[in-house]
Amino acid sequence: MTADIDTALLRALAAVARHGSINRAAAELGRSQPALSLQLRKLESHCGQTLLLRSTRGVALTPAGQALLPYAERIVSLAEQMVPAAPAAAPRLCRVGLIEDVVSQHLPRVLADFAATHPGLKLEAKVAPGRELSAAYRREELDLLIANPRLCGLEQAPAWAMECALPWLAAGGACPEEEELPLVLFAAPCSWRDAMLQALQLAGRRHRVVFESSSLLAVQAALEAGLGVGALLPDVASGKLRPLPPGSLPALPPVPLALYRRADRAGDPDLETLSRLFFRELSRLSA
């Protein structure tokens, strides 16, 4: 029978994944760097696989580490739910800014886990383009923000950052054989739109825009209807909408995502839990 894994070892892995650094993860967990390194080696020994790649630029997860991470975050979250939260003196508000791509597939799971341990906390979610959200964050109208760090223009260092794959998708996963590739795009301004158009231009692939919208649901509907090809986060692929075969079109660069937390609430345990839950869910999309 497999021996049980110490939750502290999984907590160590999750912290290193968020920070990309053993030193910063150790500081968050209140441990020394050698002690945290020892925990990570114990976890690798238990799993019988290398989970981390160490370099002068920091620490990254191996494919085995990426596969374990969602389970580690889930187990840590469930362990925390076993400890009843202290009753709040008054209802508290947590304001979260999210780009639309994060909402449909991931927000329900985050809210379900968060509500289980914070029933008295009111969540307020604002869904909008990244530039609009970053402006609201600067006005201190948001406590957490998840957006593309290249577009939000914030000088503040994020609590965590990652890169998500951006595959080409089409109905049935079939690339149209038309001379001019039909494209389904987000309306400008959009970094994904720019990446698609630039990749096709550099490859010399002729194309035409057949549909565009600022709505994720509208873009997804156009793709599922077979109007053309487009690019969305990989978790959207299911049923009618599937990735194109490798090599069908030029590869697209990964999408950066980052979470920002207001400095005056840096030690807030509620925001820390919410931050970790979002990291757990979005890490499934890592490039």
Side-chain angles (χ1 to χ4, degrees), residues 218-241:
V219 168
Q220 185 174 344
L223 290 171
E224 291 179 349
L227 270 64
V229 303
L232 297 172
L233 293 179
D235 61 335
V236 176
S238 63
K240 296 181 180 179
L241 201 55

Side-chain angles (χ1 to χ4, degrees), residues 18-19 24 137 145 147 149 154-162 257-261:
R18 286 195 302 275
H19 292 285
R24 290 195 293 271
Y137 184 81
L145 166 65
L154 297 174
E155 296 181 359
Q156 174 188 346
W160 55 252
M162 66 177 65
L257 287 178
L259 180 141
Y260 298 88
R261 186 168 59 217

Side-chain angles (χ1 to χ4, degrees), residues 35 124 139 194:
E124 182 179 290
R139 295 193 299 267
D194 296 340

Side-chain angles (χ1 to χ4, degrees), residues 134-180:
S134 59
Y137 184 81
R138 290 190 185 92
R139 295 193 299 267
E140 298 186 351
E141 296 172 0
L142 298 172
D143 303 308
L144 290 182
L145 166 65
I146 298 180
N148 186 330
R150 298 173 186 168
L151 299 180
C152 61
L154 297 174
E155 296 181 359
Q156 174 188 346
W160 55 252
M162 66 177 65
E163 289 189 333
C164 303
L166 185 63
W168 290 99
L169 302 173
C175 186
E177 297 182 358
E178 303 176 29
E179 184 176 348
E180 287 189 333

Side-chain angles (χ1 to χ4, degrees), residues 191-205:
S191 60
W192 299 12
R193 174 195 180 100
D194 296 340
M196 286 186 277
L197 294 175
Q198 183 177 15
L200 293 173
Q201 183 177 1
L202 290 175
R205 182 65 186 268

